[in-house]
Amino acid sequence: IQLRSIRGFNYGNYSYIEKFIEGSQDKMPRTRIARQSQYFYIWIRNLSDENATFAAKFTVMNLDKMIKGDIIFKYSRIFCDVERFNNNNEIMNKVGMGVLYTKTSDLRELRKNPSKDIIKYYDRYHDKFNKLIKKTLETNDRVLIIDLHSYSKHPLDYEIDKNLNRPEICIGINEKYNKYDFEKIIYITNKFGYIYKINEPFCGCLIPSDYMNDNRVSGIMIEIRKDIYDTCEKFSKIKEYLKYIKMEIK
C-alpha cells in the first residue's frame, strides 16, 4: 500500500499480501483449505525498469520490519514529527517545523493552530522507543542508535544551513557520543570514498527522552545526499556502505 499511497506508483504497481497457493493463474483462492499457521505470499506486478529494483527492495524492507516488529510511526512528519524535541530547545521551531508543523518545506502556511491532542501520538511513539531501549539493555551493556535520513543536494527553503557546498554524507553527533563507534563510521565513510562533514548541514541525533543522560545509550545520525543513490549502481554502493557499518559496529 505504501508503494502506491506514499511513493506514487499507480494502481496495480504495488505489493500486496493474499493467499493464492495455487499460483498466479487462478483469480480466486480455493475455499475450505484449513491453515495451521500464517501464510504470506507477496506479489509485485510488472513495473518499469527504473522502478522495479526500488519496488522489490522497498517491499523486502517493509516485510523485514513487519517480521521483526520494529517501531514504525505510521503518520507523516507533516502531521507530527516524532524526531523533534518537544520543548523550546528544538531549533526547527524557528521556522514553524517543530513537533507540530505550522509551515511547509517552502515556508507556506500549513495550519495556524494545530491541535495539541496530536501530541499523544508523539508520546506514544517515544514511550515505545523508551521501552525498546530498556528491554535491549536487559541483555546488552550498551545501545547504539543509527539515525538514518536523506537530504537534497540544494538547500530547501526551511533549512537553516544555506551553504551550497553540501557533503555527500552528513554525520550528526550530540555532545555525548561513543568515540569508538564514531571513529569506525568515519573510517568506513572514507573507505567508500564519500565526502562527509560533521554536523553539517544537519546536527545531532535522536535519543529517547528517558536516556538522554544515560552513558549506555548513544546515537549517530547518518544523513545521505539524495543524488548519491539515485541510480541502481549508486544505490547498491550505499546499501553496501550501510551494511558494512552495521557489520563493523554490531
Side-chain angles (χ1 to χ4, degrees), residues 35-181:
R35 281 188 291 164
Q36 296 179 344
S37 60
Q38 291 292 340
Y39 181 90
F40 294 99
Y41 193 2
I42 301 178
W43 294 0
I44 304 177
R45 292 190 177 183
N46 293 336
L47 291 163
S48 58
D49 290 342
E50 63 269 23
N51 289 329
T53 301
F54 170 80
K57 290 180 177 179
F58 190 85
T59 302
V60 172
M61 179 190 73
N62 280 279
L63 177 62
D64 189 54
K65 285 183 177 180
M66 181 180 70
I67 294 171
K68 292 182 178 178
D70 287 6
I71 298 174
I72 302 172
F73 190 65
K74 298 180 180 180
Y75 306 97
S76 167
R77 298 179 75 169
I78 296 175
F79 170 70
C80 177
D81 195 335
V82 295
E83 298 200 29
R84 305 293 196 214
F85 292 113
N86 189 23
N87 55 45
N88 293 329
N89 293 327
E90 177 52 60
I91 191 171
M92 298 307 292
N93 288 337
K94 296 179 180 179
V95 291
M97 298 185 75
V99 173
L100 301 179
Y101 291 7
T102 56
K103 298 288 182 67
T104 61
S105 61
D106 56 1
L107 299 182
R108 289 179 297 162
E109 184 177 277
L110 175 66
R111 50 191 176 184
K112 289 184 178 179
N113 298 302
S115 173
K116 299 300 181 182
D117 289 340
I118 298 175
I119 293 296
K120 66 185 179 183
Y121 294 93
Y122 180 95
D123 292 337
R124 287 173 187 169
Y125 176 86
H126 281 270
D127 182 56
K128 290 180 180 178
F129 203 170
N130 283 313
K131 287 178 179 177
L132 177 61
I133 297 298
K134 181 180 179 181
K135 183 178 180 181
T136 305
L137 286 171
E138 291 174 358
T139 54
N140 295 272
D141 295 331
R142 67 187 185 95
V143 172
L144 172 66
I145 299 167
I146 301 294
D147 191 11
L148 287 176
H149 293 271
S150 63
Y151 61 100
S152 300
K153 186 175 183 179
H154 304 289
L156 301 179
D157 293 341
Y158 79 94
E159 293 176 355
I160 295 173
D161 190 327
K162 300 296 185 182
N163 188 350
L164 297 177
N165 185 23
R166 305 191 120 190
E168 294 174 318
I169 302 286
C170 165
I171 299 175
I173 53 175
N174 299 322
E175 291 183 6
K176 294 182 179 180
Y177 67 95
N178 187 294
K179 186 177 180 181
Y180 176 76
D181 292 327

Side-chain angles (χ1 to χ4, degrees), residues 197-211:
K197 289 184 179 180
I198 310 300
N199 284 337
E200 186 181 341
F202 304 97
C203 62
C205 178
L206 175 67
I207 300 291
S209 55
D210 290 355
Y211 296 92

